[in-house]
Amino acid sequence: MVITRFAPSPTGYLHLGNARTAIFSYLFARHHKGKFILRIEDTDRERSTKEFEDMLIEDLKWLGLEWDEFYRQSERFEIYKEYAQKLIESGHAYPCFCTLEELEEERKKAEERGVPYRYSGKCRVLSREEVEVLKRENKPYTIRFKVPDNTMVVFEDLIKGHIAINTDDFGDFVIVRSDGTPTYNFVVVVDDALMGVTHVIRGEDHIPNTPKQILIYEALGFKVPAFVHLPVILGEDRSKLSKRHGAVSVRNYREEGYLPEALFNYLCLLGWSSPEEGREIYSKEEFIKIFRLEDINSSPAIFNKEKLKWLNGVYIREVVSLERLVDEFIPFLQKAGYEADREYVRRVLQSTRDSFETLKEGVDRLKPFFVEEVSYSEEAISVLENETSRIVLEAFLQRIEDIDLTQEKVKEIAKEIQKELKIKAKDIWHALRASLTGKLEGVGVDILCSILPKERIKKRILRALQLYS
RNA sequence: GCCCCCAUCGUCUAGCCAGGUCCAGGACACCGCCCUUUCAAGGCGGAGAUCGCGGGUUCGAAUCCCGCUGGGGGUGCCA
């Protein structure tokens, strides 16, 4: 059975790159009817917080991911301790009493001489007696993994292919900190092995860690899983997507009014392309059905907000159901301080959902449907100040009195006014638009009139008349 | 510095593994036209890549090989 996992550390909001990694892991597991695990990697107690963990989980759920098992590394320290002990006993690891300062010194020296830095292995040769003495003196120590000299560690990455790295490139590394907490490269192996993870899917920034981990798998007698290193997501300037590129967390996009399905879909399109050439819109279920690792591109992709936005627009106007759209839209309305009953919102969106690309943009564009009174732009005011506008508005008011306003009816009335009063169509619509929306651009006036309660229409026109004619 | 990864329109990509059907296809963005009461949306069309560069191999290379360059990542008692 295929088992994959997503293993974020709760040190910030869910990053787009991580979200994509999670999605691919999830899709791969579901495609193979396997298991998907969520594991919180909070071994770094300094930087990890419960708040971020909660946010991470919330955002993952919002994206539509569900997991079959959940773990938190901070609750598994006993297990790691046990395996660290095993490694020491089998001679694969040893205590290291070097201080941070000593190591810094070594590093600096290496740099000065222009040679790649590796831990010297000073403590590797300490005798059992020396270790006992130092321990008795209560000297703090880390535990280091003993890395064999000049050995090629080789693995077949399912995306990158054959990768070979020489152990001399890294040297003995720390697996347990001096405060007793285990480090990433060590716990990730213990957990993946114990949890039966078959495919380790993660960002390519982990490639250099992989040989270290393979060495631990082997030392512990665990089966080495398959590795899948996803290309990273880059910002416009081709450097790794990060905070300085602006909105980079799932949360940001959620708050901007992006639909989870659209973000999910877009993230999948970064680096993955459908075997059905040309098709880009897929539901989660469809993705699960056709997702294959072979279709993942091995080069990094630049995140393009424009395309995400376009895709979100596609979802808003034609993919999600009206009811879902209403559900998603209402919180944004409320946040903007507008109130409206569900049925009204439903009617508004039914005829306007094809004209905006994010929910936030939608709220802005549909303002005239939800506010009591509008405020006028300079251009709108200058239109309203025209004599023609006054005539149009008065004529319109007169004619809507006993009529049930539909889009067609509004157009009819406009035509009547055009004919009878010899006023250009453009001027009629301009006047109506200016008085009803306070602007010269936006939703169709006929649509607005067919949905906005007549009392409000009258009130707005009257007010415009009062103020500017 | 050292190690590793990557390289097709501005961007995401198809094609590359199994060389000819590719003077390179699609999507976003861009430009133009149409629709139209405005702005969007939509429809139609256009421009945009000598496939990073240089060598090979071959009758033939985006596709195979070598070198170079460029970009990215890693180089932690972070993950």
Side-chain angles (χ1 to χ4, degrees):
Chain A
M1 179 166 69
V2 166
I3 300 178
T4 69
R5 51 44 168 198
F6 174 56
S9 36
T11 56
Y13 289 111
L14 180 59
H15 180 96
L16 291 174
N18 287 139
R20 187 185 59 152
T21 304
I23 289 172
F24 285 162
S25 285
Y26 169 84
L27 290 177
F28 183 71
R30 288 286 176 266
H31 177 84
H32 290 282
K33 308 219 182 316
K35 221 173 3 174
F36 177 62
I37 297 171
L38 175 63
R39 186 174 70 221
I40 302 295
E41 308 229 319
D42 53 354
T43 55
D44 182 353
R45 306 308 293 156
E46 297 276 305
R47 302 195 304 146
S48 305
T49 73
K50 182 72 170 72
E51 286 67 36
F52 280 132
E53 180 190 311
D54 293 341
M55 305 285 190
L56 238 32
I57 289 173
E58 202 184 309
D59 291 344
L60 249 15
K61 281 185 179 161
W62 177 78
L63 268 179
L65 302 186
E66 348 86 34
W67 40 94
D68 307 299
E69 289 174 18
F70 175 85
Y71 301 94
R72 200 176 280 124
Q73 290 187 326
S74 56
E75 291 165 356
R76 298 166 59 80
F77 280 6
E78 284 310 310
I79 300 173
Y80 309 134
K81 204 168 279 178
E82 187 187 314
Y83 282 94
Q85 193 53 41
K86 273 189 190 171
L87 286 174
I88 291 178
E89 279 162 17
S90 63
H92 288 287
Y94 60 90
C96 168
F97 295 88
C98 293
T99 64
L100 255 24
E101 292 70 37
E102 285 173 304
L103 295 172
E104 192 48 47
E105 192 61 27
E106 278 189 15
R107 227 184 305 267
K108 239 165 60 194
K109 264 189 201 152
E111 203 167 312
E112 276 163 19
R113 287 192 303 160
V115 295
Y117 170 72
R118 282 168 48 197
Y119 172 61
S120 66
K122 203 197 289 177
C123 297
R124 197 165 165 166
V125 293
L126 255 32
S127 68
R128 185 170 306 220
E129 291 71 34
E130 288 172 302
V131 169
E132 281 315 311
V133 171
L134 288 162
K135 277 188 180 172
R136 226 172 297 130
E137 289 172 8
N138 269 328
K139 282 237 182 190
Y141 64 94
T142 61
I143 296 174
R144 279 182 190 271
F145 185 81
K146 203 181 282 178
V147 175
D149 289 336
N150 191 223
T151 306
M152 292 309 282
V153 180
V154 179
F155 64 101
E156 292 300 323
D157 188 276
L158 263 33
I159 290 178
K160 306 282 185 183
H162 187 83
I163 296 179
I165 294 174
N166 193 301
T167 52
D168 282 354
D169 294 334
F170 46 92
D172 298 352
F173 56 93
V174 173
I175 59 172
V176 178
R177 285 180 269 258
S178 54
D179 66 0
T181 60
T183 64
Y184 165 74
N185 277 121
F186 171 55
V187 292
V188 76
V189 171
V190 173
D191 279 344
D192 283 341
L194 261 32
M195 295 170 193
V197 172
T198 57
H199 298 256
V200 172
I201 301 175
R202 65 209 338 182
E204 72 177 331
D205 42 337
H206 282 293
I207 289 179
N209 288 325
T210 307
K212 298 182 187 176
Q213 293 167 202
I214 289 175
L215 257 19
I216 299 178
Y217 274 103
E218 288 169 347
L220 252 16
F222 288 138
K223 184 165 181 279
V224 180
F227 291 102
V228 183
H229 287 100
L230 264 19
V232 290
I233 298 181
L234 271 25
E236 301 283 350
D237 63 353
R238 299 205 152 269
S239 66
K240 199 170 159 188
L241 191 66
S242 66
K243 263 136 281 161
R244 66 200 169 78
H245 290 105
V248 292
S249 69
V250 166
R251 178 78 43 144
N252 290 150
Y253 288 90
R254 182 179 173 178
E255 286 167 353
E256 277 288 308
Y258 286 81
L259 262 17
E261 295 92 328
L263 220 209
F264 188 105
N265 197 147
Y266 177 71
L267 257 12
C268 287
L269 257 29
L270 275 185
W272 174 89
S273 66
S274 165
E276 298 175 86
E277 219 182 302
R279 187 171 167 196
E280 318 197 274
I281 312 287
Y282 288 94
S283 68
K284 188 173 81 176
E285 288 66 33
E286 291 170 318
F287 270 124
I288 289 173
K289 214 166 279 170
I290 59 169
F291 182 79
R292 298 184 310 186
L293 290 175
E294 303 91 276
D295 297 321
I296 293 179
N297 197 299
S298 61
S299 58
I302 293 175
F303 178 74
N304 183 213
K305 197 172 172 178
E306 288 297 324
K307 184 147 185 177
L308 201 211
K309 201 157 172 258
W310 165 78
L311 222 153
N312 200 54
V314 172
Y315 270 80
I316 285 177
R317 60 182 177 266
E318 56 193 57
V319 179
V320 298
S321 70
L322 218 210
E323 293 311 315
R324 237 204 45 71
L325 188 61
V326 172
D327 287 338
E328 294 287 338
F329 194 74
I330 287 175
F332 279 84
L333 268 184
Q334 291 169 341
K335 216 176 296 159
Y338 304 142
E339 262 183 61
D341 63 79
R342 191 186 166 82
E343 176 52 23
Y344 183 75
V345 175
R346 204 181 68 81
R347 285 179 57 212
V348 172
L349 290 177
Q350 187 166 37
S351 38
T352 60
R353 64 188 289 187
D354 60 0
S355 65
F356 54 91
E357 291 185 316
T358 70
L359 299 173
K360 225 173 170 180
E361 270 182 15
V363 168
D364 191 50
R365 184 177 171 87
L366 303 179
K367 221 185 243 170
F369 285 98
F370 301 105
V371 291
E372 202 50 48
E373 282 180 351
V374 297
S375 50
Y376 308 89
S377 71
E378 267 178 56
E379 297 78 28
I381 291 172
S382 75
V383 164
L384 290 171
E385 281 169 347
N386 284 339
E387 173 64 7
T388 321
S389 295
R390 203 203 85 230
I391 298 171
V392 169
L393 295 180
E394 283 173 351
F396 187 76
L397 270 182
Q398 231 174 51
R399 278 158 223 254
I400 63 173
E401 206 45 59
D402 302 307
I403 291 178
D404 195 20
L405 284 179
T406 61
Q407 287 184 44
E408 290 68 34
K409 209 72 204 168
V410 172
K411 284 183 196 163
E412 259 173 51
I413 294 174
K415 278 214 177 91
E416 272 175 41
I417 296 176
Q418 186 185 352
K419 256 190 220 149
E420 292 173 25
L421 303 176
K422 303 263 183 296
I423 293 173
K424 280 188 284 183
K426 201 165 198 163
D427 292 333
I428 296 169
W429 293 113
H430 259 70
L432 289 173
R433 174 178 305 286
S435 65
L436 292 171
T437 73
K439 284 183 184 171
L440 258 32
E441 83 269 309
V443 285
V445 170
D446 53 337
I447 296 175
L448 182 61
C449 288
S450 71
I451 297 173
L452 197 67
K454 204 193 278 175
E455 281 319 304
R456 265 205 262 182
I457 296 177
K458 291 198 320 207
K459 224 171 96 188
R460 265 182 220 180
I461 294 180
L462 250 15
R463 180 157 174 268
L465 242 19
Q466 226 172 39
L467 288 173
Y468 300 108
S469 68

